[in-house]
Amino acid sequence: MKIAFIGLGNMGGGMAANLVKEGHEVRAFDLASEALDAAQANGCATFGSVREAVEGVDAVVSMLPNGQIVLSAYTGEVIGHAPTDAILIDCSTIDVATAREVERLAADGGYAMVDAPVSGGIAAANAGTLTFMVGGSGEGFERAKRVLEGMGKAVIHAGGAGAGQAAKICNNMMLGIHMIGTCEAFTMAKKLGLDPQTFYDIASVSSGQSWSVTSYCPLPGVGPTTPADNEYKGGFATGLMLKDLRLAMEAAETAGVDAQMGAHARELYEAFDAAGNGGRDFSAIIETL
C-alpha cells in the first residue's frame, strides 16, 4: 500500500519504519528535519508538507502531540487533499470529543476514519509489538487493520468513533494508579527488611500481580530489564503519563465519574513533572518515596 505517515517522533518514527519493513511505500512528513532524516534512512520517502505526503495514498496514519494539532492537520491538510478512498487512521492520544469531531468531519468529506491510539511505548513502537485500540465503524476497522497489523501485536476494535481514545485513557489511568501502588509496596517491603527480588518473586505470582510488577518493576536489578535499569531513561515519559491522566480526568468529569484514585495519581505526577522529571520514565516516581 501507499501510506502517508504524519508525525515521526519517538513513537511515529519506529512505526513508520515498520511499515516500510512490511513492504509498504511510506510517504513521511514531520516538522523536524532530524525526524525526516531518520525516516529517510529507514526507507521512507519524505515530503515538505502534509498535502504533498497524502497525494495519491491508500491510507493516512498520524501520530501527533495533541487534539488541536490533530484537528488542524486533518481539516487543513488531509481532508480534501488525500483521495477520498484512503482510510484515515489517527494513532495519537487525544480527548474523546476531538476524536469524534475529526471523524465526523472526515465522514462529511467522504472518508472512512478511525481513532487508533496505542499501548506499548517506544520499545514496542520500534519492535512492531504495539497494541492498537480502534474506534470507528466495522468497515473502517477492517480497512485500518491491514495497516495496523504491520506495526503491532494486537489490533482490537473498541467500538464506535472515539472508543479507541476512551479505552486508551481508561487503560493508562489504571497504569498510573498501579505504578504508584507498586512503588509504594516495593519501598515499604524494602524498609520492612524484605529482599526486593524475593518480594518480586512473591508479588509476581500472587494477588498483587500487575504489569507494573511483572513487566515494568520500578527498582533496578529486579525482574526483567526495565527503564529502572537505565537510570529511568527511555520507556514511557512522565510528561506523557501526566497528559493521559489529565485526559482521563477530563473524561471522568464529562461522564460524571468520581475517579478519586485517578485524580490523586494525576496530582502526584503533576508534582513529579513540576520537579523537572517530565522526560524521565514514569516509574522514576519511586524516588519520591
Side-chain angles (χ1 to χ4, degrees):
M1 297 175 69
K2 186 181 292 186
I3 302 170
F5 204 107
I6 307 166
L8 305 165
N10 290 331
M11 296 291 292
M15 292 165 68
N18 281 316
L19 288 175
V20 173
K21 291 176 185 176
E22 287 292 310
H24 299 297
E25 178 187 337
V26 179
R27 298 165 61 88
F29 171 80
D30 194 279
L31 291 173
S33 58
E34 298 86 352
L36 289 174
D37 290 343
Q40 197 167 47
N42 287 326
C44 299
T46 57
F47 295 84
S49 71
V50 172
R51 291 189 186 190
E52 290 179 277
V54 302
E55 287 181 6
V57 298
D58 303 302
V60 177
V61 181
S62 55
M63 179 58 91
L64 298 167
N66 60 56
Q68 187 55 50
I69 293 174
V70 170
L71 180 63
S72 176
Y74 276 91
T75 57
E77 306 293 330
V78 177
I79 296 171
H81 300 283
T84 53
D85 59 355
I87 178 70
L88 310 184
I89 307 169
D90 181 40
C91 296
S92 318
T93 297
I94 63 174
D95 62 283
V96 175
T98 299
R100 288 175 175 164
E101 174 68 4
V102 175
E103 289 175 57
R104 182 188 67 78
L105 292 169
D108 289 347
Y111 297 86
M113 183 175 183
V114 299
D115 52 290
V118 307
S119 179
I122 297 171
N126 291 335
T129 56
L130 292 166
T131 293
F132 291 90
M133 296 154 264
V134 187
S137 68
E139 179 188 356
F141 170 74
E142 291 300 329
R143 292 178 60 195
K145 188 177 180 181
R146 294 178 54 206
V147 178
L148 298 175
E149 283 179 334
M151 302 181 285
K153 64 178 182 181
V155 183
I156 302 167
H157 191 197
Q165 299 297 346
K168 170 64 183 287
I169 60 177
C170 289
N171 181 76
N172 277 21
M173 181 178 75
M174 284 196 294
L175 176 58
I177 294 167
H178 290 170
M179 180 54 74
I180 292 168
T182 299
C183 290
E184 289 180 347
F186 271 90
T187 299
M188 185 165 72
K190 188 174 181 179
K191 291 190 175 184
L192 289 172
L194 288 169
D195 173 71
Q197 182 62 49
T198 300
F199 179 61
Y200 170 86
D201 293 340
I202 294 167
S204 63
V205 294
S206 300
S207 56
Q209 186 274 334
S210 71
W211 185 85
S212 296
V213 174
T214 56
S215 299
Y216 219 82
C217 186
L219 280 178
V222 180
T225 301
T226 69
D229 298 298
N230 189 35
E231 299 179 341
Y232 301 100
K233 298 173 184 175
F236 186 49
T238 291
L240 295 178
M241 171 53 76
L242 179 55
K243 170 192 171 184
D244 289 355
L245 286 168
R246 285 171 172 165
L247 288 172
M249 291 306 96
E250 289 174 12
E253 183 177 357
T254 300
V257 176
D258 185 16
Q260 295 183 36
M261 295 295 290
H264 189 46
R266 178 194 60 189
E267 290 170 0
L268 292 174
Y269 274 107
E270 281 177 339
F272 191 54
D273 180 77
N277 296 295
R280 303 178 72 203
D281 185 76
F282 79 113
S283 63
I285 199 167
I286 194 170
E287 295 178 348
T288 67
L289 304 174

